[in-house]
Amino acid sequence: MPLVTNLLLRHSVVMCLLLHSLVLMAFCFHQDATSCSKSCYCTGDEFTGTTVRCSHQGLTEIPRDFPNDTRRIYLDFNLFTRVPANAFVGLPRLTELDLSHNEINQLEPGAFRGLSPSLHSLSLSSNKLVKLNPEAFEGLWASANLTNNPWHCDCNLQKALPHVDLEPASLAGIVCHTTDPEDSRVQGRAFLLAPDIDLCAVTKRTTDVAMLVVMFCWFTMVISYLVYYVRANQEDARRHLEYLKSLPSRQGKSEESSTISTVV
Ligand SMILES: *[C@@H]1O[C@H](CO)[C@@H](O)[C@H](O)[C@H]1NC(C)=O
Ligand SMILES: *[C@@H]1O[C@H](CO)[C@@H](O)[C@H](O)[C@H]1NC(C)=O
């Protein structure tokens, strides 16, 4: 009997140790998993750098816990609607960022802050981008894929262009879905690369008309003031003239009085 209990005891000690190491291992693996981003998986090593894959995960918010040595991030085929400011700070080695096939309609100012100069490829293809906000791309000299978005082309977009820091070839991806004013030459084209089209021309014309009207009003006011001034002065001048006419007699009197005073 004591032999059996002894055996059991030893057995349980071994079991206990095994369990312990299992728990420890699980803990270690868990640690490893959190060093990559949640719901993403990471590959790579020191030399190739980390690649984080989070495609097709149904994510609605951009994860914030990427390892700081990440070189490539794939966030395509998720449900993001916006890219908030500073979404990717602390990733000094990131060269490639794929945000294609989402529902993104808003890029906040500074959305890609901190990614320059390492980032050279950014995909925003197949999203819901309508307006171009240059502040979102501040300081980002990267090649961006902006194709397959419902771009709205108007004077604002045209004016925003010189302020966009992206590699100029990226602008070929801005193909107009809607336009203001309606212009059949613009629809379905990368109008930013068509130098013959000026969507600000109509706005310019209306501002020109407004300027003319304002100038006309001013002119009328100045003329009426002048007329009023001349009229008022004429009245004054007439009165002054009458005063002058009445003057010689008075002057005579005063001369008389002065001669009297000298005589006295
Ligand atoms: C990442 O962070 C660790 C410590 O937090 C630091 O030692 C390392 O230099 C960082 N790597 C980069 C690429 O910034
Ligand atoms: C942009 O991305 C789409 C897929 O999302 C791809 O088919 C296309 O070739 C890319 N365009 C450029 C210029 O890289």
Side-chain angles (χ1 to χ4, degrees), residues 167-239:
E167 202 173 88
S170 314
L171 304 176
I174 301 182
V175 172
C176 307
H177 184 68
T178 53
T179 71
D180 178 30
E182 287 287 331
D183 191 332
S184 54
R185 294 174 305 158
V186 177
Q187 205 101 23
R189 271 182 73 186
F191 101 96
L192 300 170
L193 304 178
D196 54 317
I197 296 171
D198 182 0
L199 289 182
C200 293
V202 173
T203 332
K204 264 184 222 149
R205 229 173 289 146
T206 49
T207 41
D208 280 358
V209 169
M211 278 295 284
L212 262 177
V213 168
V214 167
M215 273 170 69
F216 180 77
C217 287
W218 260 107
F219 196 68
T220 322
M221 270 167 67
V222 167
I223 293 285
S224 10
Y225 181 71
L226 270 178
V227 167
Y228 166 78
Y229 184 80
V230 167
R231 286 251 177 91
N233 268 4
Q234 268 177 347
E235 192 74 16
D236 253 17
R238 199 173 49 74
R239 256 188 251 133

Side-chain angles (χ1 to χ4, degrees), residues 67-70 90-93:
N68 68 351
D69 65 343
T70 300
L91 303 171
R93 302 211 176 141

